[in-house]
Amino acid sequence: MKIALVILSFNEIEGVTELLPYLKDKSALKVDDIFAVDGGSTDGTLEQYAKHGVRVLRQTSRGRGEAMRFASQGSDADYLVFFSSDGNEDWKDIARFREFFEAGHDLVIASRMMRGAHNEEDGQWIRARKWVNNIFNLVANVAFRRTGPYVTDSINGFRGMRRGLLAELGVDAMGYTVEYQTTIRSLKTGKKIMEFPTHEGARIGGETKAPSFPTGVQFLKCLWRELRAGRRVRLPVLS
């Protein structure tokens, strides 16, 4: 079994500079390959990858969904772990994915919502982003779950999956809804999903690429589209 760590970035110089020293030991991370997919950084991110000897695939069109599909096409690994370079995701949890892949799971999610996890908003009186995320989680589970446990963090981008899963499910989301669409369609088709608790940290530098209101509208549109389709998934035609 071959597992690849995919670092996703677009102008994340602060995060990449701080995190790359921790992302070079394949044996410690329990992965067999490490590469980055970059959306066209111009802030020195690419130079940092070169300094640390990290192979970079430069995606031809922007968008998180495009980056994930680009990674799947550019790797020969059996499984891919997607890691954002902004500091929100705990690099120490990368090694945990292997055991779940070896157990045969199609989709493994590092959850910020389940017992034992930490969400960035925990400790605050108002946890608007967390509450909204949990509403999206609830609707996805009630509407689409066939088997398996309740998925507590259907949206989080810190996840791993069997390479080819996106194509099998016909996932076509371009931007930040790609994870939600992947989770929903995995629920619809009864894929084996597993979660483990993770610690969400604060962004290391710069501003989020996913402002709350416009991103929330995108998620509503994605959910409405999947609700209209019901339990059907339009799968690609395999030749």
Coordinates of all heavy atoms in Angstrom, one line a residue, residues 193-227:
I193 N -16.5 5.0 5.7 CA -16.0 6.3 6.2 C -15.6 6.1 7.6 O -16.3 5.5 8.4 CB -17.1 7.4 6.1 CG1 -17.6 7.5 4.7 CG2 -16.6 8.7 6.6 CD1 -18.8 8.5 4.6
M194 N -14.5 6.7 8.0 CA -14.0 6.6 9.4 C -13.5 8.0 9.8 O -13.0 8.8 8.9 CB -12.8 5.7 9.5 CG -12.2 5.6 10.9 SD -13.4 5.2 12.2 CE -13.7 3.5 11.8
E195 N -13.7 8.4 11.0 CA -13.2 9.7 11.6 C -12.3 9.4 12.8 O -12.5 8.4 13.5 CB -14.4 10.6 12.0 CG -15.2 11.0 10.8 CD -16.3 12.0 11.3 OE1 -17.2 11.5 12.0 OE2 -16.3 13.2 11.0
F196 N -11.4 10.4 13.0 CA -10.7 10.4 14.3 C -10.6 11.8 14.8 O -10.6 12.7 13.9 CB -9.3 9.7 14.2 CG -8.4 10.4 13.2 CD1 -7.6 11.5 13.7 CD2 -8.2 10.0 11.9 CE1 -6.7 12.1 12.8 CE2 -7.3 10.6 11.1 CZ -6.6 11.7 11.5
P197 N -10.5 12.1 16.1 CA -10.4 13.4 16.6 C -9.1 14.1 16.3 O -8.0 13.5 16.4 CB -10.6 13.3 18.1 CG -10.2 11.9 18.4 CD -10.5 11.1 17.2
T198 N -9.2 15.4 16.0 CA -8.0 16.2 15.7 C -8.1 17.5 16.4 O -9.1 17.9 16.9 CB -7.8 16.4 14.2 OG1 -6.4 16.9 13.9 CG2 -8.8 17.4 13.6
H199 N -7.0 18.2 16.4 CA -6.9 19.5 17.1 C -6.7 20.6 16.0 O -5.8 20.6 15.3 CB -5.7 19.6 18.0 CG -5.6 20.9 18.8 ND1 -5.2 22.1 18.3 CD2 -5.9 21.1 20.1 CE1 -5.2 23.0 19.2 NE2 -5.7 22.5 20.3
E200 N -7.7 21.5 15.9 CA -7.7 22.6 14.9 C -6.9 23.8 15.5 O -7.4 24.3 16.6 CB -9.1 23.0 14.5 CG -9.0 24.1 13.4 CD -10.4 24.5 13.0 OE1 -11.3 24.6 13.9 OE2 -10.6 24.8 11.8
G201 N -5.9 24.2 14.9 CA -5.1 25.3 15.4 C -5.5 26.6 14.7 O -6.4 26.6 13.8
A202 N -4.8 27.7 15.1 CA -5.1 29.0 14.5 C -4.3 29.1 13.2 O -3.2 28.5 13.0 CB -4.7 30.1 15.5
R203 N -4.8 29.9 12.3 CA -4.1 30.2 11.1 C -2.8 30.9 11.4 O -2.7 31.7 12.3 CB -4.9 31.1 10.2 CG -4.2 31.8 9.0 CD -5.2 32.5 8.1 NE -5.7 31.7 7.1 CZ -5.1 31.4 6.0 NH1 -3.9 31.9 5.8 NH2 -5.6 30.6 5.0
I204 N -1.7 30.4 10.7 CA -0.4 30.9 11.0 C -0.2 32.3 10.5 O 0.4 33.2 11.2 CB 0.7 30.0 10.4 CG1 0.7 28.6 11.2 CG2 2.1 30.6 10.5 CD1 1.6 27.6 10.6
G205 N -0.6 32.7 9.3 CA -0.4 34.0 8.8 C -1.4 34.2 7.6 O -2.0 33.3 7.1
G206 N -1.5 35.5 7.2 CA -2.3 35.8 6.1 C -3.8 35.7 6.4 O -4.2 35.6 7.6
E207 N -4.6 35.9 5.4 CA -6.1 35.9 5.6 C -6.7 34.6 5.0 O -6.1 34.0 4.0 CB -6.7 37.1 5.0 CG -6.3 38.4 5.6 CD -6.9 39.6 4.9 OE1 -7.7 39.4 4.0 OE2 -6.7 40.7 5.4
T208 N -7.8 34.2 5.6 CA -8.5 33.0 5.0 C -8.9 33.2 3.6 O -9.2 34.3 3.2 CB -9.7 32.6 5.9 OG1 -10.3 31.5 5.3 CG2 -10.7 33.8 5.9
K209 N -8.8 32.1 2.8 CA -9.2 32.1 1.4 C -10.7 31.8 1.3 O -11.2 31.7 0.2 CB -8.4 31.1 0.6 CG -6.8 31.3 0.7 CD -6.3 32.6 0.3 CE -4.8 32.6 0.2 NZ -4.1 32.3 1.4
A210 N -11.3 31.5 2.4 CA -12.7 31.1 2.4 C -13.5 32.0 3.4 O -13.9 31.6 4.5 CB -12.9 29.6 2.8
P211 N -13.8 33.2 3.0 CA -14.7 34.1 3.9 C -16.0 33.5 4.1 O -16.6 32.8 3.3 CB -14.8 35.4 3.0 CG -14.4 35.0 1.6 CD -13.5 33.9 1.7
S212 N -16.5 33.7 5.3 CA -17.7 33.0 5.8 C -18.9 33.1 5.0 O -19.5 32.0 4.6 CB -18.0 33.4 7.3 OG -16.9 33.1 8.1
F213 N -19.4 34.3 4.7 CA -20.7 34.4 4.0 C -20.7 33.8 2.6 O -21.5 33.0 2.3 CB -21.1 35.9 4.0 CG -22.5 36.1 3.3 CD1 -23.6 35.7 4.0 CD2 -22.6 36.5 2.0 CE1 -24.9 35.8 3.4 CE2 -23.8 36.7 1.5 CZ -25.0 36.3 2.2
P214 N -19.8 34.3 1.7 CA -19.8 33.7 0.3 C -19.6 32.2 0.3 O -20.1 31.5 -0.5 CB -18.7 34.5 -0.4 CG -17.9 35.1 0.6 CD -18.7 35.3 1.8
T215 N -18.7 31.7 1.2 CA -18.5 30.3 1.3 C -19.7 29.5 1.8 O -20.0 28.5 1.2 CB -17.3 30.0 2.2 OG1 -16.1 30.7 1.8 CG2 -17.0 28.5 2.2
G216 N -20.4 30.1 2.7 CA -21.6 29.5 3.2 C -22.7 29.4 2.1 O -23.4 28.4 2.0
V217 N -22.8 30.4 1.3 CA -23.7 30.4 0.1 C -23.4 29.2 -0.8 O -24.2 28.5 -1.3 CB -23.7 31.7 -0.6 CG1 -24.5 31.6 -1.9 CG2 -24.3 32.8 0.3
Q218 N -22.1 29.0 -1.1 CA -21.6 27.9 -1.9 C -22.0 26.6 -1.3 O -22.5 25.7 -2.1 CB -20.1 28.0 -2.1 CG -19.6 29.2 -2.9 CD -18.1 29.2 -3.0 OE1 -17.4 28.2 -2.8 NE2 -17.6 30.4 -3.2
F219 N -21.9 26.5 0.0 CA -22.3 25.2 0.6 C -23.8 25.0 0.5 O -24.3 23.8 0.3 CB -21.8 25.2 2.1 CG -20.4 24.7 2.3 CD1 -19.4 25.7 2.4 CD2 -20.1 23.4 2.3 CE1 -18.1 25.3 2.6 CE2 -18.8 23.0 2.5 CZ -17.8 23.9 2.6
L220 N -24.6 26.0 0.7 CA -26.0 25.9 0.5 C -26.4 25.4 -0.9 O -27.3 24.6 -1.0 CB -26.7 27.2 0.9 CG -26.8 27.6 2.4 CD1 -27.3 29.0 2.5 CD2 -27.7 26.6 3.1
K221 N -25.7 26.0 -1.9 CA -26.0 25.6 -3.2 C -25.6 24.1 -3.5 O -26.4 23.4 -4.1 CB -25.3 26.5 -4.2 CG -25.8 27.9 -4.3 CD -25.0 28.7 -5.3 CE -25.5 30.2 -5.4 NZ -24.7 31.0 -6.3
C222 N -24.5 23.7 -2.9 CA -24.1 22.3 -3.0 C -25.1 21.4 -2.4 O -25.5 20.4 -3.0 CB -22.7 22.2 -2.4 SG -22.1 20.5 -2.3
L223 N -25.5 21.7 -1.2 CA -26.5 20.9 -0.5 C -27.8 20.8 -1.2 O -28.4 19.7 -1.3 CB -26.7 21.5 0.9 CG -27.7 20.7 1.8 CD1 -27.4 19.3 2.0 CD2 -27.8 21.4 3.2
W224 N -28.3 21.9 -1.7 CA -29.5 21.9 -2.4 C -29.5 21.1 -3.7 O -30.4 20.3 -4.0 CB -29.9 23.4 -2.8 CG -31.1 23.5 -3.7 CD1 -31.3 24.0 -4.9 CD2 -32.5 23.0 -3.3 NE1 -32.5 23.9 -5.4 CE2 -33.3 23.3 -4.4 CE3 -33.0 22.5 -2.1 CZ2 -34.7 23.0 -4.4 CZ3 -34.4 22.2 -2.1 CH2 -35.2 22.5 -3.2
R225 N -28.3 21.1 -4.4 CA -28.1 20.3 -5.6 C -28.2 18.8 -5.2 O -28.8 18.0 -5.9 CB -26.8 20.6 -6.2 CG -26.5 19.8 -7.4 CD -25.1 20.1 -7.9 NE -24.7 19.3 -9.1 CZ -23.5 19.1 -9.5 NH1 -22.5 19.8 -8.9 NH2 -23.2 18.4 -10.6
E226 N -27.5 18.4 -4.1 CA -27.5 17.0 -3.7 C -28.9 16.6 -3.2 O -29.3 15.4 -3.4 CB -26.4 16.8 -2.7 CG -25.0 17.0 -3.1 CD -24.6 16.1 -4.3 OE1 -25.1 15.0 -4.4 OE2 -23.8 16.6 -5.1
L227 N -29.6 17.5 -2.5 CA -30.9 17.1 -2.0 C -31.9 16.9 -3.2 O -32.7 16.0 -3.2 CB -31.5 18.2 -1.1 CG -30.9 18.3 0.3 CD1 -31.3 19.6 1.0 CD2 -31.3 17.1 1.1

